[in-house]
Amino acid sequence: QTPSGLNQREADVAGALPRELARLGHSVRLVIPRYGTIDGRKHGFKEWTRLAVPTASGSIGAIIERGCLADPGVPADRSVQVLAVRHDPYFDRHGLYQEAGVDYPDNLERFAFFCRAGMELLLVHGKAAAWKPDLLHAHDWQTALSIVYLRTLYAGQQALKRIGAVFTIHNIGYQGIFPAADYWKTGLGPELFTLKGLEFYGSLNLLKGGLVFADLLTTVSPSYS
């Protein structure tokens, strides 16, 4: 367990759940940050496309690398595709969320960028591969903004209108809380920084955004719920 909330259980779910869904016949895409700790050659990552990701600070480029989660129980043409969002200044670091026990000071910018990249990727992927998801499944505070963006900034996108949103809580002890002064970095309007939105005792709470905007909430076990 790290102070930023990453644990082995969360990693296990991210790896095992998509495979199990594929075994059940679903077409699954797993979107992850392209962390520097990932061995891209081992997992067969190759550049697939490039995106200009809109952020509160301006457009930032991202390289999307594509690989797959091999599974002997699933035919190769139905294996889980992995789409890794690569922007080395944000993700090519020694740690995921922190180093030497200290959170990276730009974590809000990093994961707001990742979530916006996911939305742009949905738009591009739908055009390039004629693949449109029925469901967006986000996990913990790091991906909570993707659901907020889906329901706000991207609500007018016809291709995304029918997508449902599920938010899973792995560890509610870590909620992605940031100073109110940094709220602008999300790119969201001030109308969402309220008690009914992402405001939490005067601070910004990303996990709360996932709770508020998701259609369904799940936890990793009945007892944890």
Side-chain angles (χ1 to χ4, degrees):
Q1 180 69 57
T2 73
S4 285
L6 177 71
N7 57 44
Q8 189 61 45
R9 180 176 60 186
E10 183 174 346
D12 288 344
V13 171
L17 180 60
R19 284 190 175 101
E20 185 59 30
L21 291 172
R23 292 189 192 110
L24 293 172
H26 299 289
S27 178
V28 184
R29 306 292 186 272
L30 176 62
V31 182
I32 61 172
R34 178 60 162 86
Y35 293 119
T37 54
I38 296 174
D39 186 340
R41 289 177 296 182
K42 176 181 177 182
H43 297 286
F45 282 177
K46 294 181 180 179
E47 181 176 332
W48 179 63
T49 191
R50 298 194 175 206
L51 299 176
V53 181
T55 75
S57 301
S59 180
I60 298 178
I63 297 172
I64 307 301
E65 297 182 350
R66 183 164 63 177
C68 70
L69 289 178
D71 188 331
V74 178
D77 62 343
R78 288 201 291 111
S79 62
V80 176
Q81 289 189 27
V82 180
L83 301 171
V85 178
R86 182 166 190 167
H87 180 65
D88 289 347
Y90 278 163
F91 302 122
D92 189 12
R93 303 180 181 184
H94 294 296
L96 304 186
Y97 314 127
Q98 60 173 224
E99 286 185 41
V102 179
D103 284 359
Y104 291 124
D106 61 347
N107 272 345
L108 176 56
E109 296 99 303
R110 296 172 72 219
F111 290 100
F113 166 79
F114 173 68
C115 291
R116 284 296 294 267
M119 292 297 99
E120 294 295 317
L121 184 55
L122 282 177
L123 294 174
V124 170
H125 201 293
K127 295 176 182 177
W131 181 86
K132 297 181 180 179
D134 299 304
L135 187 70
L136 171 66
H137 189 179
H139 301 262
D140 273 355
W141 70 264
Q142 294 91 346
T143 59
L145 277 176
S146 63
I147 294 178
V148 181
Y149 291 148
L150 178 69
R151 297 298 184 230
T152 57
L153 299 182
Y154 290 80
Q157 293 287 345
Q158 189 65 34
L160 307 184
K161 283 186 178 297
R162 294 180 177 271
I163 299 178
V166 172
F167 186 54
T168 293
I169 301 167
H170 296 258
N171 192 337
I172 203 168
Y174 301 94
Q175 302 183 8
I177 297 177
F178 298 92
D182 290 337
Y183 173 75
W184 67 273
K185 297 177 181 178
T186 66
L188 297 166
E191 70 279 1
L192 296 182
F193 192 69
T194 66
L195 179 64
K196 293 184 178 181
L198 280 73
E199 185 273 334
F200 184 72
Y201 292 97
S203 296
L204 164 64
N205 187 316
L206 299 187
L207 186 138
K208 183 184 176 188
L211 296 176
V212 170
F213 285 93
D215 299 308
L216 294 173
L217 306 176
T218 68
T219 61
V220 288
S221 70
S223 59
Y224 197 66
S225 68

